[in-house]
Amino acid sequence: MLSAPIGRFITFCARHAYAVVALFLLLSCGAVYAGMTCLGVTTDTSKMLSDRLEWKQRSDEMGRLFPQKENLLVAVIEADLPEEGRETARVLAEKLAADHTHFDFAERPDANPYLVRNGLMFLEPQPLSQVLNDTITAQPFLSALAQDPSARGLFGAMSLISEGIKQGQADGLKSFQTPLAGFATNLEKAAAGQPQPLSWQQLLGGQLSELAGRYQFVITKPKLDYGSFQPGGAASDAMVQAIKTLEFVKSGQVKVHMTGQVKLDDEEFATVAEGMVTGLLGSLALVTLWLTLAVRSWRVVLPIVVTLVVGLLLTTGFAAVAVGTLNLISVAFAILFVGIAVDFAIQFSVRFRAQHADSGDAGILEALRETGEETGHQILVAALATSAGFLAFTPTAFLGVAQLGLIAGIGMLVAFVSTTTLLPALLKIFHPKLDCPDMGYGFMKPVDVKIRHHRHVLLGVFGLVAVAGIALVPKLQFDGDPLHTKNPNSEGMRALHLLMSNPQSSPYSAELLVKSLDDAQKQAERLSSVPQVHDVLWLGSFVPTKQDEKLALIQDAASILLPTLIVPTPKPAPSADELRASAAATATALGGVLDKLSAQDPLRRIQAALVKLSTAPDAQVLAANNALVRFLPLQLDQLRTMLQATSVTLKDVPPSIANDYLLPDGRALVEVHPTGVMSSSGALRKFVTALQKVEPEIAGTAVDIVESARSIVRAFEQAAAAAIIMIALILFLALRRVKDMLLVLAPLMLSALMTVILVVVLPETLNFANIIALPLLLGVGVSFNIYFVMNWRDGVKSPLASPTARAVLFSALTTGTAFGSLALSHHPGTASMGRLLLLSLGCTLLVTLVFVPALLPKRPIDEA
């Protein structure tokens, strides 16, 4: 047995207490230096899984071939008036493009001259015909505006309406009631001294205005500082400063939101770190309180805390050397270390305090030796089994937990070494009082008796619970979408949610790389037939179809419209007097036809506003002119440009677009967007599964999310099986009996099944963050169960009344406190991790304190 050697080793460390403390101090300094110089953190969830996975290789290859689509920072401009949004986006793009310190490029994808010129060509013939007919109908109005693009010209054009009404053409205005009503509203505000810009795109654009959408985009490639915890922080700050200077942002007419992978990753770390220091300090305070209640002496509490801190520093130093960069899962190793290592320290200290010995140096050394012989081999077995449970995850493809498993697995060995070397040395130095009979729970003996008396009933109940857990295992759901673990209230996520309703701006897309453009066309046709697909984009998507038919319609309209829209020398800007005179003349003209208008006709409102404006002061009239026609020249220019569209081919698509869909070697990209909002993992899984049936080599964000979920589940299945086998082997070697080994494993399995029940019933969806509850459940469960079973082997008759039960209870309280700090996090992933850890800990504690005492059979010595 190892009991005696461990006892002698602990006594040796206590005799040379100061040397041991000095050694650990030196090691801790080295670990701190390694942590400060070598340890980093990444929030990139794409690094959570191994590169050896085929789907991951395809995803990484896409990122390498199309780097312009990776690590973007996007400004989403939200505006009620399209022109205000477009102007804001234009100015912002110019400012950011000129900032070479923070950005490689800044561009407006929807403002590409090629797309603007061919805007009409991308409409289907029927709606195109309707748009052109409406524009032709408004030709006299547009001609007047082209010659005089001011409020004077606008009022003059309005007077033409009165002439049409006099000639009995009032019915022709029915299709213009909506734009006239919109114009009336703006004119009334201008006449009241509260001018607001008039949207000519909404007034004249019709369906084109609706297709343009509410949002404008500025896409940037920021220069990242990977030496910072927030690599895109400087670029984000630069964008914020640029946004603050924008005219319509300052006036409150436009809102600019920031999103993109860079923004989301930076916010991820900020949210995880938010409140971390406060939560950690609060957690340490509560842990100290529980330790005080457990051992009832600061002379023991302080050695435990120092031992935990030193063990954590040494484990961190190992992480710095062995791993280098932590991810959002492995960063939780500190919580796991404290949660389990404190159990080792509490077990040792509680039993140490219960030893019967005098308080002299000889008594302390004797008490440490006896404690080592009593608990050392138990803690060793618990540490080895827990370490094996963690290390079983190291070979899996889920690198997030593989890292955690490696660090925590070695950390358990560090914890054992610290508990059997540094802790005894510190206890020798602090010299606490011994012989504390209240270290056990004598009042729990009747409970032990009751449990023994009703053991068959309890075992039956727990058996039913286990059956229920097994039945609910298939109902466990795993959500692999990393967006669901981010803070939904962060700016980046709020902006992203604004875009999710639009399939083409949704973050959930699939991609396929094919050999040529011909293959891209064929694949686009195949994938478009899938019911879950909204649209498929490839380079050919940017070449309008049915060009002959559409060009004939556009050219017919252009022959009528362009001669009157192209005016070499428009009239100069009017004076205030000219504006008032024009307003008065048009008001008089409209006043003559009011009797022919309905009571609700917007022309009545227009006439009344013009009367009021005709007597307004200069400043008000000039402000009205600016508000009414500020965006008119832009709209007329765009109309002229679109009416001059010509036939285009693939060669005409500009490089700024073509480079996103065609590689220099001829390979082409096909991009697939889903139908509907992919807000649930089920919908996303159906979309990806349907695509994979058509093309197994599909890649992209949607595929990454679904395949990562599958890979994580497979990794946990493999690791769980390996962990159970390794733990069982260690237990068999330590206990030398299959029966005793099963007495430890059975409660472990029951704890897991009880956790399954709670996860399904509450419900608590599993994700890549909270799934680390499984290795922790193995670690804590094995430790607690080993102590009880080994005590039973040593002849302890009342497990709940023993110091072990006290140690287990306070160990659970300290561990639960650490997990509680995670559950209160503002980061959804971290909070779900804390909740699930608390659930699994509660199940483990219930099983250990009720099921295990009921499960342990009576020993022959007890019968005697």
Side-chain angles (χ1 to χ4, degrees):
M1 290 292 290
L2 293 174
S3 301
I6 291 176
R8 289 194 295 271
F9 177 72
I10 288 175
T11 303
F12 173 82
C13 292
R15 289 183 186 278
H16 302 84
Y18 290 101
V20 170
V21 171
L23 175 62
F24 273 93
L25 178 61
L26 183 63
L27 292 173
S28 297
C29 291
V32 170
Y33 176 78
M36 293 177 64
T37 57
C38 304
L39 193 62
V41 178
T42 178
T43 59
D44 188 354
T45 54
S46 67
K47 292 183 170 43
M48 290 284 192
L49 292 149
S50 171
D51 294 337
R52 65 176 182 264
L53 296 167
E54 290 185 8
W55 66 266
K56 184 70 165 50
Q57 292 173 356
R58 291 196 296 271
S59 177
D60 292 344
E61 180 71 358
M62 288 291 188
R64 185 184 68 81
L65 294 174
F66 299 96
Q68 68 272 28
K69 295 186 175 185
E70 299 290 311
N71 295 323
L72 300 179
L73 182 62
V74 181
V76 182
I77 294 92
E78 181 183 10
D80 292 331
L81 267 63
E83 292 92 340
E84 290 182 342
R86 188 161 54 243
E87 178 66 9
T88 300
R90 183 188 66 80
V91 176
L92 179 60
E94 289 178 355
K95 287 178 177 289
L96 299 182
D99 184 357
H100 301 295
T101 302
H102 298 105
F103 301 96
D104 289 328
F105 67 77
E107 60 187 22
R108 298 165 57 208
D110 49 357
N112 189 288
Y114 172 84
L115 297 178
V116 173
R117 185 175 65 253
N118 297 291
L120 293 173
M121 296 277 283
F122 286 102
L123 293 175
E124 287 299 314
Q126 196 280 329
L128 173 61
S129 177
Q130 182 63 48
V131 168
L132 292 174
N133 288 337
D134 290 344
T135 307
I136 291 172
T137 302
Q139 186 268 341
F141 185 73
L142 295 173
S143 176
L145 293 176
Q147 295 178 44
D148 186 1
S150 68
R152 177 184 57 199
L154 174 59
F155 298 156
M158 295 296 300
S159 65
L160 297 176
I161 296 178
S162 64
E163 293 299 324
I165 295 175
K166 289 179 181 179
Q167 297 174 14
Q169 299 175 4
D171 291 342
L173 293 175
K174 290 182 179 178
S175 60
F176 293 95
Q177 291 298 294
T178 298
L180 284 174
F183 173 67
T185 299
N186 279 73
L187 190 60
E188 287 171 338
K189 291 180 179 178
Q194 300 173 340
Q196 291 186 1
L198 176 63
S199 172
W200 286 93
Q201 179 174 316
Q202 292 175 341
L203 203 64
L204 302 175
Q207 295 183 37
L208 288 180
S209 177
E210 296 176 7
L211 292 173
R214 180 179 176 82
Y215 304 104
Q216 300 283 326
F217 305 95
V218 175
I219 296 177
T220 72
K221 182 83 168 181
K223 294 181 179 179
L224 303 180
D225 177 14
Y226 289 104
S228 168
F229 284 127
Q230 294 179 289
S236 295
D237 292 342
M239 182 178 284
V240 168
Q241 293 304 315
I243 290 170
K244 289 180 179 178
T245 65
L246 301 175
E247 174 189 356
F248 295 114
V249 172
K250 290 192 289 186
S251 67
Q253 300 298 111
V254 170
K255 296 179 180 178
V256 181
H257 314 275
M258 294 167 56
T259 187
Q261 192 60 51
V262 169
K263 180 67 173 177
L264 294 173
D265 285 348
D266 285 353
E267 287 180 340
E268 182 90 352
F269 181 81
T271 309
V272 170
E274 182 182 354
M276 182 176 290
V277 174
T278 303
L280 181 59
L281 293 176
S283 177
L284 286 176
L286 282 173
V287 166
T288 303
L289 172 63
W290 298 132
L291 290 175
T292 302
L293 294 176
V295 297
R296 300 189 178 182
S297 172
W298 70 268
R299 295 177 182 272
V300 180
V301 171
L302 193 55
I304 292 177
V305 172
V306 171
T307 301
L308 287 178
V309 171
V310 169
L312 181 57
L313 291 177
L314 295 178
T315 305
T316 303
F318 168 78
V321 174
V323 174
T325 302
L326 302 175
N327 55 56
L328 288 175
I329 291 181
S330 59
V331 75
F333 81 90
I335 296 293
L336 298 189
F337 178 88
V338 173
I340 299 179
V342 74
D343 171 64
F344 300 164
I346 290 177
Q347 287 291 338
F348 187 93
S349 301
V350 167
R351 300 198 201 182
F352 168 71
R353 287 275 283 159
Q355 296 297 329
H356 301 286
D358 61 62
S359 298
D361 286 348
I364 292 289
L365 291 174
E366 179 63 19
L368 288 171
R369 184 189 64 78
E370 291 181 0
T371 303
E373 291 182 356
E374 181 182 327
T375 65
H377 63 297
Q378 295 182 4
I379 295 175
L380 175 61
V381 174
L384 290 174
T386 305
S387 179
F390 282 121
L391 292 174
F393 290 84
T394 303
T396 67
F398 188 15
L399 298 182
V401 173
Q403 273 190 9
L404 179 68
L406 175 64
I407 299 170
I410 299 301
M412 293 303 97
L413 302 181
V414 171
F416 169 75
V417 172
S418 300
T419 303
T420 54
T421 54
L422 180 60
L423 181 58
L426 291 172
L427 290 173
K428 170 64 167 55
I429 293 173
F430 280 86
H431 216 91
K433 293 182 179 179
L434 302 177
D435 197 11
C436 297
D438 56 351
M439 283 294 103
Y441 288 135
F443 65 88
M444 292 296 291
K445 286 185 178 180
V447 179
D448 270 315
V449 174
K450 289 288 186 182
I451 289 177
R452 302 298 304 169
H453 182 70
H454 299 288
R455 65 187 302 263
H456 295 294
V457 175
L458 289 172
L459 292 177
V461 171
F462 281 112
L464 293 175
V465 170
V467 171
I470 293 172
L472 291 176
V473 166
K475 293 186 177 296
L476 286 176
Q477 294 185 354
F478 185 85
D479 184 359
D481 190 344
L483 294 180
H484 293 168
T485 64
K486 299 180 186 294
N487 182 3
N489 297 317
S490 68
E491 181 185 6
M493 283 302 297
R494 289 199 307 268
L496 196 62
H497 283 300
L498 294 175
L499 309 179
M500 285 185 178
S501 58
N502 183 350
Q504 293 190 358
S505 60
S506 170
Y508 304 105
S509 62
E511 298 174 334
L512 180 64
L513 192 62
V514 296
K515 296 179 180 179
S516 65
L517 286 174
D518 290 338
D519 289 338
Q521 183 177 8
K522 294 175 183 177
Q523 289 290 3
E525 293 172 354
R526 290 180 63 206
L527 294 170
S528 296
S529 63
V530 176
Q532 290 82 5
V533 171
H534 178 271
D535 66 89
V536 181
L537 290 181
W538 63 292
L539 187 57
S541 303
F542 295 90
V543 178
T545 59
K546 304 175 185 178
Q547 291 192 37
D548 292 341
E549 181 180 358
K550 296 175 184 177
L551 280 173
L553 293 172
I554 293 172
Q555 289 168 358
D556 286 345
S559 65
I560 300 172
L561 294 168
L562 282 180
T564 58
L565 290 177
I566 299 177
V567 180
T569 54
K571 290 183 179 181
S575 65
D577 289 336
E578 290 173 323
L579 289 170
R580 279 190 290 265
S582 179
T586 303
T588 301
L590 290 176
V593 297
L594 290 180
D595 59 332
K596 297 181 180 182
L597 302 177
S598 65
Q600 291 78 30
D601 197 303
L603 286 173
R604 291 181 175 274
R605 295 166 53 200
I606 293 173
Q607 194 271 343
L610 287 171
V611 171
K612 189 174 182 180
L613 194 62
S614 66
T615 60
D618 289 1
Q620 184 176 336
V621 172
L622 292 174
N625 176 70
N626 181 65
L628 292 173
V629 299
R630 174 173 180 175
F631 298 120
L632 175 59
L634 177 67
Q635 187 66 26
L636 291 175
D637 285 343
Q638 185 169 315
L639 181 57
R640 295 185 192 103
T641 300
M642 291 192 295
L643 288 172
Q644 299 180 67
T646 58
S647 178
V648 294
T649 66
L650 283 173
K651 294 181 180 179
D652 296 309
V653 180
S656 57
I657 296 176
N659 291 342
D660 286 345
Y661 294 90
L662 185 66
L663 294 172
D665 60 7
R667 286 183 293 173
L669 183 71
V670 179
E671 191 175 274
V672 188
H673 301 118
T675 297
V677 179
M678 299 287 102
S679 57
S680 68
S681 57
L684 192 61
R685 190 164 51 249
K686 289 180 181 178
F687 170 62
V688 171
T689 302
L691 292 180
Q692 289 175 329
K693 289 180 180 178
V694 177
E695 181 48 64
E697 298 298 310
I698 201 81
T701 306
V703 178
D704 290 350
I705 292 171
V706 172
E707 288 295 344
S708 65
R710 293 170 180 168
S711 299
I712 290 171
V713 171
R714 283 195 297 269
F716 267 85
E717 290 173 347
Q718 297 166 2
I724 295 300
I725 293 173
M726 293 171 64
I727 290 173
L729 181 60
I730 291 173
L731 292 175
F732 178 75
L733 293 175
L735 302 177
R736 304 295 179 89
R737 295 175 187 168
V738 174
K739 176 182 177 182
D740 294 354
M741 176 191 74
L742 294 177
L743 288 176
V744 176
L745 291 179
L748 193 62
M749 296 299 99
L750 179 60
S751 301
L753 293 173
M754 289 176 65
T755 303
V756 167
I757 294 174
L758 292 178
V759 168
V760 173
V761 171
L762 286 178
E764 182 72 50
T765 303
L766 297 176
N767 55 55
F768 68 82
N770 65 24
I771 202 168
I772 69 164
L774 177 57
L776 181 107
L777 174 65
L778 294 175
V780 174
V782 165
S783 298
F784 288 179
N785 298 334
I786 283 175
Y787 301 142
F788 273 70
V789 172
M790 295 188 80
N791 280 350
W792 166 77
R793 282 164 56 94
D794 292 338
V796 175
K797 298 181 181 180
S798 302
L800 296 183
S802 68
T804 298
R806 178 188 183 88
V808 164
L809 177 61
F810 280 99
S811 175
L813 287 173
T814 53
T815 304
T817 297
F819 298 161
S821 67
L822 293 177
L824 296 176
S825 171
H826 294 290
H827 182 259
T830 304
S832 68
M833 181 194 305
R835 290 193 302 269
L836 195 54
L837 290 173
L838 283 174
L839 291 177
S840 63
L841 179 64
C843 293
T844 298
L845 188 61
L846 178 63
V847 168
T848 301
L849 297 180
V850 180
F851 176 69
V852 172
L855 183 65
L856 296 175
K858 289 185 178 181
R859 299 173 56 82
I861 188 174
D862 299 334
E863 300 290 352

